[in-house]
Amino acid sequence: MNTAKLGDRVRVQYLGLREDGSSVGRIRGRKVLEFTVGSKEVIRGISLGVVGMAEGEQKRLTLQPADAYGAVRPKLIKEVPRQRFPSRLELFVGKWLTATGVKSGRRRRIEVAELRPDTVVVDGNHPRAGEILEVELQLVSLASTSAD
C-alpha cells in the first residue's frame, strides 16, 4: 500500500476543531488542502502529520503551538501613539489593519487589541497563536515522488 512520504504531493480534507469539539473558522465544515509533504505550504503539524497515511485514511491530530501557529510573541504586541493613525480611521477592538515596518518595509496584518486614551495596543500575532489545535484529516489523494 502506498503511503505518504516527505516530498509527496497530497490533497487532504481537514477540519479544525476547538477544545469543545466545535469547528474553527468562518467557513464551517471540511476544507481541502493540497501541498507537498514536509513543505512550509501549510502549518508544520499538518505537513508532517500525513506521513505514513494511505489514501482514504483518516487521522485526528492534537497540534501544540509550535506545530500550529506558534507561540504568542510578546514583541509583536505594541503600544502605538494614537496620532500615528489617520484621524478619519475608525478604530475598535478586533479591527484588522495592515502595518508597514519602518525599517523592513514589510507589510503585516495586525489586530487592534486595546484602545487607551492616548495609545492603541496592536497585536501582530496570528489569531490562533499559542493555542493547541485539534485537526481531523483525511488523505484524499497521493502523488508519490518515488516508486515503491
Side-chain angles (χ1 to χ4, degrees):
M1 179 179 282
N2 205 14
T3 60
K5 297 173 292 311
L6 293 177
D8 289 347
R9 193 79 183 157
V10 297
R11 287 184 66 213
V12 299
Q13 275 191 332
Y14 79 100
L15 178 65
L17 301 169
R18 292 188 176 91
E19 288 184 50
D20 67 2
S22 63
S23 96
V24 171
R26 283 180 250 150
I27 301 169
R28 301 286 182 228
R30 296 188 177 273
K31 301 170 191 87
V32 176
L33 292 174
E34 183 173 340
F35 59 94
T36 300
V37 179
S39 72
K40 294 184 179 182
E41 296 172 72
V42 296
I43 61 175
R44 183 173 191 256
I46 291 176
S47 187
L48 297 177
V50 298
V51 171
M53 290 179 70
E55 281 188 21
E57 188 176 347
Q58 295 182 20
K59 185 188 272 189
R60 185 172 180 145
L61 303 172
T62 300
L63 306 178
Q64 296 301 313
D67 291 325
Y69 295 103
V72 172
R73 295 170 42 200
K75 75 176 194 170
L76 296 180
I77 301 171
K78 300 194 182 298
E79 192 168 354
V80 180
R82 260 196 198 256
Q83 66 259 25
R84 294 217 13 225
F85 295 89
S87 59
R88 69 185 184 288
L89 181 64
E90 179 187 355
L91 294 173
F92 54 88
V93 172
K95 182 177 182 80
W96 285 94
L97 305 167
T98 301
T100 304
V102 176
K103 294 178 186 172
S104 69
R106 289 183 33 193
R107 296 169 62 98
R108 169 178 220 99
R109 299 241 323 140
I110 59 173
E111 183 178 14
V112 175
E114 186 179 343
L115 295 171
R116 296 180 179 163
D118 297 321
T119 60
V120 177
V121 178
V122 294
D123 186 347
N125 285 287
H126 187 281
R128 309 277 330 256
E131 293 184 20
I132 295 172
L133 185 63
E134 295 282 332
V135 180
E136 289 181 356
L137 296 175
Q138 180 175 15
L139 186 60
V140 176
S141 68
L142 167 63
S144 185
T145 55
S146 62
D148 288 328

